[in-house]
Amino acid sequence: AAADGVGADARVVAVAQYFRVGVIAVTTPPVLALVASGASPGAGGPSSPGWAVPHLVSGADQVAGLIALVAVALLGVRAGTRLRLPAPLVLGPMLTAALANLGGAAHGFAPAGLLQDLVFVGIGLEIGLRFDRPSLRHAGRAVGHLAAVTFVTCLACALLAWPLARVTRLSFADAYLATTPGGINAVLPAAVAAHANVTLVSSVQSLRLFGVVVAAPLLLRCVSAMRRTVRVRVPAETGAVRPE
């Protein structure tokens, strides 16, 4: 969504993001098993599988919760578009849901159980259907660079998660998932599957997403201006240089 808003190739961005998701999905279980060996289980205890809960939203009143969910989604999209927010289809509903939840105007409308699974499936389809052979070939030319950057970024996040967990007394799993670079739409399913603190993970990832979509247009304009400046100066400077 952020890529579409700034005119980037969303398919290449998706390849890079989900390459990181794949790395995180493969490396997280052994990392967590290594650091959590001998640790006591979480205070919440084992949770029931989502399929065993017949609810579609988190609240007790399913009808009111579903109505609130639809209302927040529609109002959020409209508000994000009217306010001309970057990535309005993401930030609009996100901010509207946060205000409704914090202000007490609505609660108990978070997707749960089968509806949550369908939402995750929809996210996967929305991304996967963007891929075609030309886009994969184009992204494949940069796969070496993507792999190097991915492993460096994941390592940096793990190193940041360790002191964060010690200072805040969080589990390393929560701190690592909160700081992983996989993207909020992909990290949340991983957090749900790992029975991590989804509220914490979604909050940190949402703050990062908000910072990215707000800063990205400004950064891209700065980079574009720098490139134009270089293109203007290079011909004038190279014209006086004798090639060797």
Side-chain angles (χ1 to χ4, degrees), residues 64-91:
L66 289 172
I67 293 175
L69 177 62
V70 173
V72 166
L74 295 178
L75 290 175
V77 170
R78 186 175 181 85
T81 305
R82 282 288 188 91
L83 296 175
R84 297 181 180 180
L85 296 175
L89 300 184
V90 175
L91 287 186

Side-chain angles (χ1 to χ4, degrees), residues 31-32 35-36 157-163 165 170-178:
V31 169
L32 297 183
V35 301
C157 288
L159 294 176
L160 288 172
W162 186 265
L170 297 170
S171 68
F172 179 78
D174 291 339
Y176 181 64
L177 289 172

Side-chain angles (χ1 to χ4, degrees), residues 8-221:
D9 190 337
R11 295 170 298 182
V12 176
V13 174
V15 170
Q17 291 285 351
Y18 279 85
F19 183 83
R20 287 190 280 182
V21 171
V23 172
I24 291 168
V26 171
T27 57
T28 297
V31 169
L32 297 183
L34 179 64
V35 301
S37 57
S40 59
S47 58
S48 302
W51 289 98
V53 181
H55 290 175
L56 297 179
V57 290
S58 58
D61 191 337
Q62 294 295 289
V63 175
L66 289 172
I67 293 175
L69 177 62
V70 173
V72 166
L74 295 178
L75 290 175
V77 170
R78 186 175 181 85
T81 305
R82 282 288 188 91
L83 296 175
R84 297 181 180 180
L85 296 175
L89 300 184
V90 175
L91 287 186
M94 181 187 298
L95 296 177
T96 303
L99 291 174
N101 195 42
L102 293 174
H107 56 84
F109 58 87
L114 178 59
L115 180 58
Q116 184 184 73
D117 294 335
L118 292 176
V119 169
F120 290 154
V121 170
I123 292 172
L125 288 175
E126 195 274 336
I127 297 295
L129 292 175
R130 292 173 177 262
F131 295 141
D132 53 21
R133 290 183 179 179
S135 65
L136 291 177
R137 284 196 296 267
H138 177 64
R141 300 188 187 101
V143 68
H145 297 87
L146 291 178
V149 170
T150 295
F151 284 108
V152 170
T153 306
C154 290
L155 178 60
C157 288
L159 294 176
L160 288 172
W162 186 265
L164 176 64
R166 297 297 296 270
V167 171
T168 59
R169 297 184 180 180
L170 297 170
S171 68
F172 179 78
D174 291 339
Y176 181 64
L177 289 172
T179 56
T180 47
I184 184 173
N185 55 345
V187 172
L188 287 184
V192 171
H195 304 294
N197 188 335
V198 179
T199 301
L200 171 71
V201 173
S202 61
S203 299
V204 178
Q205 293 283 349
S206 298
L207 288 174
R208 190 182 65 179
L209 173 65
F210 186 79
V212 167
V213 296
V214 169
L218 176 62
L219 292 176
L220 290 175
R221 283 196 295 267

